[in-house]
Amino acid sequence: MIIYNRSRYKNIFLLALLLAVFVITIISQIGTSYSLENSDKGINQKVIIVSMPRVTWEMLDQLETPNIDRVINTGSAGSLSILTPGNARTLENGYISISAGNRAAAATSNKSTFYMIDERIKYHDAKDIFRDQRGNYAKDASALSLGYEQTLKLNNEELYKPDIGALASVLEKNSKSISVIGNADYCSKKSAGAIGYLGSNRNGEIKFADVSRDILNPDLSLNMKIVKSKAVKSIEQHDVTAVECSDLEKIDLNHSSYKKTVLESKINSAISDCDNLIGSVLDNIDLGKDRIFIISPVSPAAKEQLTIFVAAGKNIQPGYAISGITRREGIVSLADIAPSILDFYNIDTPETMEATLLDWVKSSDSVQEKKHSLIQMNKKAALRDDSFVVIAASFILIVFLTVILSIFAYRSYLKLRNISKILALLSLSMPSATFILSPFMLSLGTPIKIYIAFFSISLLITAISYIAMKKFSVALIILTLSAGTLLIQLVDILTGGNLQLNSLFGYSAVIAGRFAGFGNLAFSIVAISCVVLVAMTKQLGLKRPKLNSTWVNIALIAILVLTIA
């Protein structure tokens, strides 16, 4: 007869129950972690790109744009640097750079653009012309690029060797689709296909597109009702949807034909239409899982400048946009967009793309404060670019005169020595003056005032140095000026490089190839200052033989460290 110890089995049961709860909890946590890491694979996430060509923050600041403001408020804003190869900043160049994830250039629209597959061009269908130029095309293509080979050849000659059509090709390889909608035709000029570069694969084919005149009114303006309908349908059917507010491009291309007040009215109306389109888009997406980008891939034709960038949606904090290329809060580049879209879908970035991602710097700034900050950045960049040529030419002229007069003063004309000394001191003073002036450029407001302030600061430093030469040796004065220039640069870099951005001898946010660290001009100034420091140290050391080699060695080591840094 077996006697059960109920108390004992009760304890075993409770222990097993606790153990089961513990194991289930651990498994659930692992499962939760796994599901969070792989949640993107199970959710039908959408990316929407709304293109507003030729639009700056200053334009938006003058209008009521409630839907754009909503995106700015919930997401991150920035200025878009639209640098592309060559001098021409065109809409085609903007889109093709986004698609390639690298700086790229498109052939002019009269040589290469996109057509719907059955569109007639001089008695021939687009598909027949494409087949003649590039061979067979995919059966499911909806639009094709004619003259695509010219664009490919153009980029093969470029330094960056961009992979044209990479974004759409990589998305398709990973079972993701991209659709583009837009038409910038005006009069008889064919420029509709610009946005095609954003959705084109490497062979110049677009699977899902409407770049036809079917989305236009009889006057060739966008039929916003049709565009909204197609955008909403595209969002339902495709992973990535790019829709262009094409009227903005048409108006800007014809800006010289309009009276100023008429031009402003047309631009404002087109921006308002685009804001309404964005409202329709927002009604059909979930910012908890989707993302929306509002971009301007090209600056106004009248003046090259920074344009708008806004992003909102999943994992995007309210604040300012930043990227791996710029490393500057509030500035992003065209090449950042495609890698960020691929990363959103957990797709590896191809080696041909810049492996830089958009990021977000959290800020409590209001919509108006964000706009104001980005407007000020653009104004300073434009002011810098407007003032640069005169300042740079003046500096080169002073250096040239210094060298010439010094040669004559050394050989024959001793009376020129004082003049050559003054010019030498002036040339050494000018670089520092440009960076000292940087924080005050916006308050000065015009290139003329900047010229006056620049030369005043340079002449003041020169005068103080010339007077000091009566008490101290020339070598010590030159060493001090060079050390001062070097100190300004080093302190600036160690504190974030704020004097580099949009300063006269720093780099421009509009056309810069880099946005952090030393700019090319600034690095040249640092290198030359180091060389002068070594030379003057050697000169001073001649009077102190015991210290000579030590001082020079220290200076040389400092130069080596600075060069490596």
Side-chain angles (χ1 to χ4, degrees):
M1 183 175 179
I2 300 173
I3 300 174
Y4 292 97
N5 187 333
R6 293 183 177 181
S7 176
R8 179 185 174 190
Y9 280 97
K10 183 179 180 181
N11 289 337
I12 292 173
F13 174 76
L14 289 174
L15 182 62
L17 182 63
L18 287 172
L19 183 61
V21 171
F22 176 75
V23 171
I24 291 170
T25 302
I26 294 297
I27 292 174
S28 67
Q29 290 298 316
I30 293 173
T32 301
S33 175
Y34 178 83
S35 65
L36 286 173
E37 291 177 0
N38 295 275
S39 59
D40 293 350
K41 296 180 181 179
I43 298 176
N44 187 20
Q45 298 178 121
K46 305 291 184 179
V47 172
I48 297 86
I49 302 171
V50 180
S51 175
M52 301 180 67
R54 316 281 181 176
V55 173
T56 66
W57 283 108
E58 197 165 9
M59 292 179 186
L60 289 186
D61 194 46
Q62 300 168 4
L63 297 171
E64 292 291 329
T65 52
N67 296 303
I68 296 174
D69 288 352
R70 176 183 164 192
V71 180
I72 297 170
N73 185 54
T74 58
S76 284
S79 289
L80 187 58
S81 177
I82 45 82
L83 179 64
T84 58
N87 294 322
R89 307 292 190 250
T90 66
L91 189 55
E92 289 84 357
N93 283 1
Y95 288 134
I96 203 171
S97 293
I98 294 173
S99 173
N102 206 334
R103 293 179 192 171
T108 55
S109 59
N110 63 324
K111 294 180 180 179
S112 176
T113 192
F114 286 83
Y115 295 83
M116 299 304 290
I117 195 166
D118 292 319
E119 194 168 347
R120 298 285 289 178
I121 305 101
K122 295 181 179 179
Y123 312 109
H124 297 283
D125 288 344
K127 60 187 177 185
D128 295 328
I129 299 174
F130 183 88
R131 187 185 293 113
D132 182 62
Q133 292 178 348
R134 298 191 58 75
N136 291 330
Y137 55 88
K139 292 180 180 179
D140 54 357
S142 62
L144 302 167
S145 173
L146 304 187
Y148 191 68
E149 193 65 27
Q150 296 194 49
T151 290
L152 294 179
K153 288 179 179 178
L154 177 65
N155 286 279
N156 288 335
E157 297 169 358
E158 293 291 343
L159 172 65
Y160 303 99
K161 298 293 186 292
D163 185 5
I164 307 304
L167 176 60
S169 295
V170 174
L171 285 171
E172 183 179 354
K173 184 179 178 181
N174 288 271
S175 302
K176 301 292 182 183
S177 61
I178 180 171
S179 168
V180 296
I181 304 163
N183 185 305
D185 276 3
Y186 68 95
C187 299
S188 59
K189 182 174 175 60
K190 178 70 181 179
S191 55
I195 196 170
Y197 285 109
L198 188 50
S200 166
N201 64 19
R202 293 184 174 107
N203 196 44
E205 306 164 329
I206 312 175
K207 280 196 172 184
F208 310 102
D210 194 334
V211 294
S212 71
R213 291 196 174 189
D214 293 342
I215 62 174
L216 303 181
N217 293 312
D219 64 354
L220 297 185
S221 62
L222 272 185
N223 186 316
M224 295 307 295
K225 184 177 179 180
I226 294 176
V227 171
K228 287 178 185 178
S229 174
K230 286 184 174 289
V232 170
K233 186 176 180 180
S234 176
I235 291 169
E236 293 173 356
Q237 297 178 344
H238 304 291
D239 300 288
V240 181
T241 295
V243 56
E244 178 186 79
C245 298
S246 308
D247 285 349
L248 288 163
E249 173 72 359
K250 301 175 191 183
I251 293 166
D252 190 83
L253 290 176
N254 284 289
H255 71 276
S256 60
S257 302
Y258 302 120
K259 183 180 176 181
K260 184 178 179 181
T261 53
V262 174
L263 176 63
E264 291 175 353
S265 176
K266 285 182 175 290
I267 291 173
N268 293 345
S269 178
I271 290 175
S272 295
D273 287 342
C274 197
D275 184 68
N276 291 331
L277 171 63
I278 291 169
S280 298
V281 168
L282 292 174
D283 291 341
N284 287 274
I285 61 174
D286 177 3
L287 292 180
K289 68 179 183 66
D290 304 324
R291 282 187 175 181
I292 181 172
F293 297 98
I294 303 173
I295 65 170
S296 179
V298 62
S299 65
K303 183 173 179 59
E304 192 173 272
Q305 53 192 298
L306 297 168
T307 62
I308 63 166
F309 176 89
V310 192
K314 184 178 179 181
N315 297 332
I316 297 178
Q317 300 182 72
Y320 293 92
I322 191 172
S323 83
I325 287 181
T326 66
R327 289 179 286 166
R328 283 280 180 182
E329 183 178 326
I331 307 178
V332 297
S333 77
L334 293 166
D336 302 320
I337 298 172
S340 300
I341 292 173
L342 296 177
D343 180 72
F344 182 63
Y345 287 117
N346 290 324
I347 299 172
D348 292 336
T349 303
E351 293 181 0
T352 54
M353 284 188 181
E354 294 281 355
T356 56
L357 301 178
L358 294 165
D359 204 354
W360 328 105
V361 179
K362 191 172 183 179
S363 172
S364 59
D365 283 1
S366 66
V367 171
Q368 198 56 41
E369 287 171 333
K370 290 178 184 178
K371 287 181 180 180
H372 177 74
S373 174
L374 297 169
I375 287 170
Q376 293 300 99
M377 180 189 294
N378 186 44
K379 282 184 176 179
K380 187 176 180 182
L383 194 57
R384 181 266 180 198
D385 293 344
D386 289 343
S387 308
F388 174 75
V389 173
V390 171
I391 299 296
S394 301
F395 176 66
I396 292 170
L397 178 62
I398 294 297
V399 171
F400 176 77
L401 290 175
T402 300
V403 173
I404 296 299
L405 291 180
S406 296
I407 293 172
F408 281 106
Y410 177 77
R411 290 184 173 276
S412 306
Y413 303 95
L414 299 180
K415 293 181 180 179
L416 293 176
R417 286 187 175 181
N418 279 336
I419 297 175
S420 62
K421 284 181 183 179
I422 292 172
L423 289 176
L425 293 173
L426 183 59
S427 64
L428 289 170
S429 303
M430 282 179 157
S432 293
T434 65
F435 291 96
I436 293 170
L437 185 62
S438 180
F440 310 102
M441 287 174 63
L442 273 176
S443 58
L444 291 170
T446 64
I448 294 296
K449 291 181 179 179
I450 288 174
Y451 302 152
I452 293 171
F454 167 73
F455 286 111
S456 296
I457 294 171
S458 300
L459 289 170
L460 178 61
I461 296 172
T462 300
I464 294 172
S465 301
Y466 186 76
I467 292 170
M469 284 175 60
K470 295 179 179 180
K471 186 175 181 181
F472 303 100
S473 67
V474 174
L476 183 60
I477 298 301
I478 293 175
L479 185 146
T480 301
L481 286 173
S482 299
T485 299
L486 190 59
L487 184 63
I488 290 172
Q489 296 296 319
L490 294 179
V491 171
D492 178 46
I493 291 298
L494 291 174
T495 55
N498 294 317
L499 295 181
Q500 299 291 322
L501 184 64
N502 292 327
S503 60
L504 292 166
F505 281 2
Y507 37 73
S508 163
V510 178
I511 59 173
R514 68 178 72 182
F515 299 84
F518 291 119
N520 293 335
L521 282 173
F523 185 76
S524 299
I525 291 168
V526 168
I528 292 170
S529 297
C530 288
V531 171
V532 173
L533 275 172
V534 171
M536 293 304 102
T537 301
K538 177 72 175 177
Q539 185 67 24
L540 290 171
L542 293 175
K543 297 180 181 180
R544 300 180 183 181
K546 293 182 180 180
L547 295 178
N548 182 30
S549 60
T550 303
W551 282 30
V552 173
N553 287 337
I554 291 172
L556 287 171
I557 291 170
I559 291 174
L560 180 63
V561 171
L562 285 170
T563 304
I564 294 173

